[in-house]
């Protein structure tokens, strides 16, 4: 059973054992998305205002001084099911994949029309996906230094996405080739 409400952000209780993390940059991206599109994905809470899903959205709402956020109140969950839903909600999104060819086409078409960062991509991410240098400094750096490349095959899209994210966090320039 679900009830739709506007929840007071000050009354929400984050789950202390939430395993999903959100960087400051990601919170800013979510906030930009909320500003651009509105709050399009309600949070999930239980009857006592315990946050089940939407910790990042609530942090972004706080960042832009929203006092209330759309929420679905999930009723009838015991403790085990509530905790399992917290994990499942995050995991299901994480295990989906991308068609990088279509994603690249869509981002290229939208880059001059909307704030790309509000969609969760930096301009550097976009440049990497499009195989472009993201700045004049990167162009001169690329021509001034030798570059080494490693081509690696992955068994599936999820493994590829995980390796891509890890390499980017290490500061490596990544390009997906299909």
């Amino acid at each position: 059973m679900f009830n739709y409400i506007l929840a007071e952000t000050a009354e929400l209780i984050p789950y202390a054992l939430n395993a999903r993390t959100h960087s400051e940059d990601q919170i800013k991206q979510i906030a930009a998305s909320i500003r651009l599109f509105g709050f399009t994905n309600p949070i999930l809470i239980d009857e006592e205002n315990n946050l089940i899903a939407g910790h990042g959205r609530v942090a972004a709402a706080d960042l832009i001084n929203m006092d209330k956020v759309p929420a679905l109140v999930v009723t009838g969950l015991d403790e085990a099911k509530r905790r399992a839903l917290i994990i499942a909600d995050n995991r299901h999104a994480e295990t989906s994949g991308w068609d990088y060819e279509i994603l690249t086409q869509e981002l290229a078409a939208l880059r001059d029309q909307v704030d790309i960062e509000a969609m969760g991509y930096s301009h550097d991410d976009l440049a990497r996906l499009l195989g472009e240098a993201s700045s004049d400094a990167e162009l001169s750096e690329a021509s001034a230094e030798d570059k080494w490349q490693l081509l690696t095959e992955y068994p599936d899209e999820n493994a590829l996405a995980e390796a891509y994210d890890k390499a980017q966090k290490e500061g490596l320039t990544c390009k997906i080739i299909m």
Side-chain angles (χ1 to χ4, degrees):
M1 177 77 137
F2 297 97
N3 296 317
Y4 181 79
I5 66 167
L6 283 176
E8 299 277 344
T9 57
E11 295 177 9
L12 298 173
I13 304 164
Y15 182 49
L17 298 177
N18 186 30
R20 190 65 161 183
T21 62
H22 301 281
S23 70
E24 188 176 321
D25 285 343
Q26 185 194 28
I27 299 299
K28 290 177 183 175
Q29 288 176 339
I30 296 169
S33 180
I34 292 170
R35 280 190 209 103
L36 183 62
F37 306 115
F39 209 105
T40 60
N41 189 7
I43 63 169
L44 299 181
I45 59 175
D46 68 11
E47 301 95 333
E48 286 84 40
N49 283 336
N50 292 301
L51 195 51
I52 296 171
H55 289 77
R57 284 168 275 163
V58 171
D62 285 340
L63 184 66
I64 58 176
N65 301 314
M66 289 181 71
D67 296 331
K68 295 180 181 180
V69 295
L72 288 175
V73 181
V74 181
T75 59
L77 295 178
D78 62 25
E79 178 69 9
K81 284 185 180 176
R82 184 180 62 81
R83 291 171 65 189
L85 178 55
I86 291 168
I87 294 169
D89 181 74
N90 286 302
R91 182 64 179 158
H92 293 314
E94 179 182 73
T95 59
S96 66
W98 288 99
D99 181 319
Y100 287 99
E101 185 176 336
I102 293 173
L103 175 63
T104 301
Q105 291 171 4
E106 286 290 281
L107 291 174
L110 293 169
R111 72 174 157 186
D112 295 326
Q113 299 176 40
V114 297
D115 179 6
I116 293 297
E117 291 185 359
M119 297 184 333
Y121 290 90
S122 70
H123 291 286
D124 288 342
D125 292 334
L126 181 61
R128 280 190 289 275
L129 281 167
L130 298 176
E132 301 171 349
S134 61
S135 67
D136 291 338
E138 190 175 317
L139 277 170
S140 62
E141 181 183 306
S143 60
E145 298 178 14
D146 289 335
K147 300 290 180 180
W148 294 90
Q149 296 182 353
L150 170 68
L151 179 62
T152 308
E153 292 183 10
Y154 293 91
D156 57 49
E157 207 168 350
N158 291 330
L160 170 70
E162 187 176 305
Y164 181 87
D165 290 343
K166 183 178 177 184
Q168 280 191 308
K169 287 178 184 170
E170 292 177 9
L172 298 172
T173 300
C174 301
K175 184 176 177 181
I176 296 174
I177 303 168
M178 298 170 68

